[in-house]
Amino acid sequence: MDRKFIRTESSEITSKIFGAYDVNARMIEKEWGVNVVNRGDGEGDGIAVSGNDPESVAAAARAVEALLEMSAYSEVLTEQTVKYVIDMVSGGQADELSKLGDDCLCITSRGKPIKARTVGQKLYVDAIRKNTVIFGIGPAGTGKTFLAVAMAVKALRDKQVGRIILTRPAIEAGEKLGFLPGDLQSKIDPYLRPLYDALFELMGADNYQHNLEKQTIEIAPLAYMRGRTLDDSFIIFDEAQNATPEQMKMFLTRLGNNSKAVITGDLTQTDLPDGQKSGLAMAIKIISGIDDIAVHYFTERDVVRHKLVQKIIVAYDKYEKEQERRRQEHKNAMQKKNNDRRKDDA
């Protein structure tokens, strides 16, 4: 029987790591087939990990140590956080967890600190800090838009920029603009709602409305960007996979002095008409090698919504890869059939 003991500063921290009804400890036990118990004896407050396989015990202990580090700057260690730590340790990426730390991006209107919750999110935030143009590419739920808005709010509060500009294409996903009631603003509001929601949470409704009236904050469809030069601004271009190549070029050439642009999108969820190329995909190919431009890719591990979202993304990705494999097999079979026919005709 192999055993490792991880010392904690208090029984409160130990309880925090174990989680409500010991759910976190049970997840670690299930993953590596070990026993995780609370020990408050002669060894002091801590957590003992034991099992028959030394490698499994070492991995489980590393996961507990990572959660202990996170407990210093996280109010609650959720099941989702524990699942992420388990995935990182199992994937041989435990050392990368040390990149996470008590790096508060900003405080919401309700006093909640906003921090990167995964290594991927931390690298994304660092890229925003270091570069002028940043592409955040990844599936839904990875926080790419919310973190960009948080960084924009922080830049505005710190007087690094004079205004925040948020834009996205008014592209339908199954509905037409004409079916919605009201004037043009009423028609485009549903497409901009995710941006409103992020600003409301970070700034509060009253503060948001005050900045909107002062034109410190501007939220507009992509078409409104044409012909402008955006100086002293933090610009966020959301749902950029739905921009055409012409629209993307137009947006990128709006950048003015003392400005930063974050372009976010999910290349697997393009709502452009069939046959229309995504300007986001093309832009990454064309300009990603330019200095001061960064491209950050999120994975399903960075999903911070409900734990089912990650499973849904993985399931869809698996399905789409299988469909692509079948299409390729069919294409190869048809090509072989045509080649055989040509040989017969010859």
Side-chain angles (χ1 to χ4, degrees):
M1 178 72 70
D2 198 64
R3 182 178 184 273
K4 288 187 179 294
F5 183 77
I6 300 93
R7 191 177 303 281
T8 59
E9 294 182 2
S10 66
S11 58
E12 288 78 11
I13 293 177
T14 303
S15 297
K16 188 176 182 180
I17 294 171
F18 267 70
Y21 304 105
D22 297 344
V23 64
N24 297 347
R26 301 292 83 83
M27 289 174 67
I28 294 172
E29 288 180 334
K30 182 178 179 181
E31 177 69 21
W32 285 291
V34 298
N35 292 318
V36 180
V37 296
N38 181 352
R39 282 285 180 262
D41 48 27
E43 295 180 286
D45 288 311
I47 299 170
V49 180
S50 60
N52 295 323
D53 179 26
E55 290 186 3
S56 296
V57 171
R62 182 65 187 91
V64 171
E65 290 167 352
L67 292 173
L68 178 59
E69 292 173 11
M70 290 181 174
S71 69
Y73 54 81
S74 179
E75 295 180 5
V76 179
L77 296 174
T78 65
E79 291 182 54
Q80 193 174 51
T81 301
V82 177
K83 177 66 167 60
Y84 176 69
V85 168
I86 288 172
D87 287 347
M88 293 293 283
V89 173
S90 297
Q93 298 174 288
D95 292 343
E96 292 189 24
L97 291 169
S98 62
K99 295 177 182 177
L100 290 170
D102 193 13
D103 183 10
C104 180
L105 308 183
C106 69
I107 304 295
T108 70
S109 59
R110 293 177 292 179
K112 178 183 176 182
I114 300 299
K115 304 175 183 179
R117 294 166 61 182
T118 70
V119 174
Q121 288 190 349
K122 180 65 167 62
L123 295 175
Y124 176 58
V125 168
D126 290 344
I128 293 175
R129 288 191 176 114
K130 296 175 184 177
N131 297 275
T132 299
V133 176
I134 305 91
F135 290 87
I137 314 299
T142 51
K144 52 187 182 294
T145 300
F146 187 79
L147 289 174
V149 175
M151 294 294 286
V153 170
K154 176 176 173 57
L156 184 66
R157 288 174 178 170
D158 294 346
K159 301 187 184 306
Q160 296 173 357
V161 296
R163 59 180 173 168
I164 298 172
I165 299 175
L166 304 103
T167 187
R168 59 177 0 201
I171 296 292
E172 306 90 341
E175 290 185 276
K176 298 296 182 183
L177 283 169
F179 294 162
L180 300 173
D183 57 15
L184 176 61
Q185 188 62 42
S186 299
K187 289 175 183 290
I188 64 176
D189 273 355
Y191 299 95
L192 305 174
R193 179 53 54 188
L195 302 177
Y196 293 144
D197 291 344
L199 285 170
F200 284 169
E201 181 171 349
L202 291 164
M203 305 183 76
D206 292 341
N207 192 21
Y208 162 75
Q209 190 62 39
H210 175 68
N211 281 281
L212 194 66
E213 291 171 357
K214 288 172 52 182
Q215 296 186 333
T216 305
I217 293 176
E218 179 182 348
I219 305 179
L222 181 61
Y224 286 23
M225 298 296 107
R226 188 174 298 279
R228 303 176 60 185
T229 300
L230 306 176
D231 292 322
D232 194 28
S233 305
F234 196 117
I235 314 149
I236 299 174
F237 182 6
D238 191 34
E239 298 289 342
Q241 76 275 3
N242 290 328
T244 65
E246 294 77 16
Q247 288 174 323
M248 180 60 71
K249 181 181 178 181
M250 178 274 291
F251 172 80
L252 291 171
T253 53
R254 299 306 94 201
L255 194 66
N257 294 320
N258 190 41
S259 289
K260 186 185 292 286
V262 180
I263 300 101
T264 67
D266 180 0
L267 292 172
T268 68
Q269 294 192 19
T270 300
D271 298 315
L272 290 167
D274 290 342
Q276 176 67 65
K277 292 183 179 180
S278 169
L280 177 60
M282 184 176 293
I284 292 171
K285 292 178 181 178
I286 294 173
I287 68 173
S288 61
I290 298 175
D291 187 44
D292 209 20
I293 295 177
V295 181
H296 178 79
Y297 291 95
F298 291 93
T299 70
E300 67 274 4
R301 280 184 179 174
D302 297 307
V303 173
V304 292
R305 289 182 186 166
H306 193 282
K307 58 186 178 182
L308 278 179
V309 174
Q310 186 179 100
K311 294 180 180 179
I312 291 169
I313 290 170
V314 171
Y316 266 91
D317 185 57
K318 182 179 178 181
Y319 171 80
E320 288 164 3
K321 287 180 178 177
E322 177 63 19
Q323 292 298 106
E324 179 59 32
R325 183 188 67 80
R326 290 182 179 181
R327 282 193 293 267
Q328 190 61 45
E329 286 182 352
H330 177 72
K331 181 180 178 180
N332 292 340
M334 292 301 295
Q335 188 173 10
K336 183 178 183 301
K337 185 177 180 180
N338 290 334
N339 290 340
D340 290 343
R341 185 180 299 159
R342 290 192 191 98
K343 290 178 181 178
D344 293 340
D345 292 341

